[in-house]
Amino acid sequence: MENSKANGRITGQTGKAGALGERDMSRRGFLKLSGITAFTAGGLMFLTACGPAAQGTSDSSSSSSSKSSKKTVLGDGKKMRVGMEAAYAPYNWQTTTKTEYTIPIENVDGAYADGYDVQFAKIVAKALDMEPVAVKMSFSGLIDALNNGQIDVIIAGMSATAKRKQSVDFSVPYFVGGFGLLVKKGSKYANATSLKDFSGAAVLGQKDTLLDTVIDEIPNVNHLTPVDSVPNQLSQLNQGTCDAITYNTENTNGFLKANPDLVAIQFEKGKGFKETVPANVGLKKGQKAILAKINKAIKAVDQDTRTKMFDACVERQPS
């Protein structure tokens, strides 16, 4: 949610403003806020650890690394291609209506992307003096697409986990949230108040996200094979093929509004998921100057603005 997706936060909470607080966090396990504040390029650390290069190769390698880290133009310097699912409301979703909140989806004719990620894509693009466009793809394919040059940045509710940081550099978080569980009304788990109450339950997450890995916090859980999207999680729950699904608690109201037959578990304090999850901008390694600009743009957005922005996305997300 490793992804987050939402995307992961504040366990058992339904409030939005509290979930958006930017704060120091230790490595979470959608996604613990693993090493959020560590922005050193992994490639550079690796070179240092390897010691002196063979004679005749050191200067060339060092020069290449230096040029990369000093690069100040992202992509072609004009169009910022933003990788996202466009199917993860309220972070990002697809629409056919162009508004002040949307950006075009480059690889889907007549389609636009909206959502919280999109609003920050606009902020980042403005800081880099570029025009943002979305590139719709599966969440699991985002990092490969970034490193292969198909997209310029990832702004898709992705969290800076330790594993991901081996392949990608990440910004400071532009969002922080939490995890919860959804069950069907009338379920024997509907009145649960702790993760222990889900011992033996069949719980479903989303593939390649913290929405899946966080399930292991539940004792003796029947951890089902994850599906590829949140809509598929909801579909499986509604069909009765699982007892519960993980979800991002900052969008509790949106989930329940769109799915009135579901119940959000209200955990007692300290008895829900421990992990919190950030959303960070992903950038190809070796672009320190650009990353610094992105961090500056994110930090310039105060908490009140972030809260209002997120609430507005929750209000206009598709039902």
Side-chain angles (χ1 to χ4, degrees):
M1 131 142 25
E2 283 184 271
N3 159 322
S4 143
K5 284 86 207 351
N7 131 136
R9 308 164 185 189
I10 300 173
T11 43
Q13 301 281 333
T14 59
K16 301 163 191 168
L20 292 167
E22 181 175 352
R23 58 183 183 275
D24 291 338
M25 289 169 276
S26 60
R27 161 100 171 58
R28 18 158 293 107
F30 215 36
L31 306 168
K32 211 163 195 174
L33 277 193
S34 68
I36 281 185
T37 57
F39 298 113
T40 304
L44 295 180
M45 290 191 290
F46 176 77
L47 290 173
T48 301
C50 287
Q55 188 174 5
T57 64
S58 178
D59 289 346
S60 174
S61 176
S62 175
S63 174
S64 175
S65 176
S66 177
K67 287 180 181 179
S68 178
S69 63
K70 291 180 180 179
K71 184 178 178 182
T72 58
V73 177
L74 182 64
D76 64 6
K78 298 177 182 179
K79 180 170 64 176
M80 187 181 82
R81 298 166 300 167
V82 185
M84 62 177 62
E85 290 175 283
Y88 185 54
Y91 299 94
N92 55 76
W93 69 84
Q94 180 175 319
T95 178
T96 57
T97 305
K98 180 181 180 180
T99 71
E100 61 182 302
Y101 305 110
T102 63
I103 61 175
I105 298 180
E106 186 177 56
N107 56 337
V108 182
D109 290 341
Y112 300 88
D114 193 357
Y116 188 74
D117 292 330
V118 174
Q119 307 320 303
F120 266 92
K122 288 171 171 280
I123 290 168
V124 169
K126 183 177 181 180
L128 300 177
D129 196 24
M130 300 176 73
E131 287 296 322
V133 297
V135 179
K136 182 174 181 175
M137 60 181 62
S138 69
F139 190 86
S140 60
L142 287 170
I143 289 179
D144 283 345
L146 179 67
N147 288 326
N148 290 336
Q150 296 170 261
I151 56 177
D152 300 309
V153 291
I154 297 171
I155 308 180
M158 179 174 283
S159 295
T161 63
K163 181 178 180 180
R164 289 178 181 148
K165 288 169 64 179
Q166 295 175 14
S167 304
V168 178
D169 281 341
F170 285 100
S171 72
V172 295
Y174 59 89
F175 176 87
V176 178
F179 294 111
L181 290 171
L182 293 174
V183 301
K184 294 183 70 174
K185 284 184 177 178
S187 163
K188 66 178 182 179
Y189 298 102
N191 295 317
T193 58
S194 72
L195 291 181
K196 290 182 179 180
D197 293 335
F198 284 87
S199 176
V203 182
L204 179 69
Q206 182 187 8
K207 181 182 178 182
D208 296 328
T209 74
L210 288 184
L211 288 170
D212 181 49
T213 58
V214 75
I215 293 173
D216 290 332
E217 287 191 29
I218 304 172
N220 302 312
V221 68
N222 178 6
H223 189 157
L224 299 178
T225 301
V227 291
D228 62 356
S229 68
V230 172
N232 277 348
Q233 278 184 282
L234 291 164
S235 176
Q236 294 298 314
L237 180 58
N238 283 318
Q239 291 175 37
T241 58
C242 59
D243 296 312
I245 62 172
T246 51
Y247 80 106
N248 299 132
T249 54
E250 64 277 2
N251 193 31
T252 298
N253 291 339
F255 277 119
L256 297 183
K257 180 179 179 181
N259 301 274
D261 291 330
L262 300 186
V263 174
I265 298 302
Q266 301 299 307
F267 292 114
E268 292 180 0
K269 186 176 180 179
K271 294 186 177 181
F273 291 109
K274 299 296 189 294
E275 288 210 53
T276 54
V277 60
N280 309 77
V281 175
L283 186 69
K284 190 174 182 178
K285 282 187 173 294
Q287 303 182 85
K288 287 186 176 181
I290 296 172
L291 183 60
K293 289 183 179 181
I294 292 174
N295 283 336
K296 183 178 180 180
I298 292 172
K299 290 177 180 179
V301 183
D302 62 63
Q303 187 56 55
D304 184 58
T305 300
R306 296 183 191 211
T307 300
K308 290 179 179 177
M309 190 185 301
F310 191 87
D311 288 354
C313 290
V314 170
E315 288 298 318
R316 66 174 183 271
Q317 69 180 325
S319 57

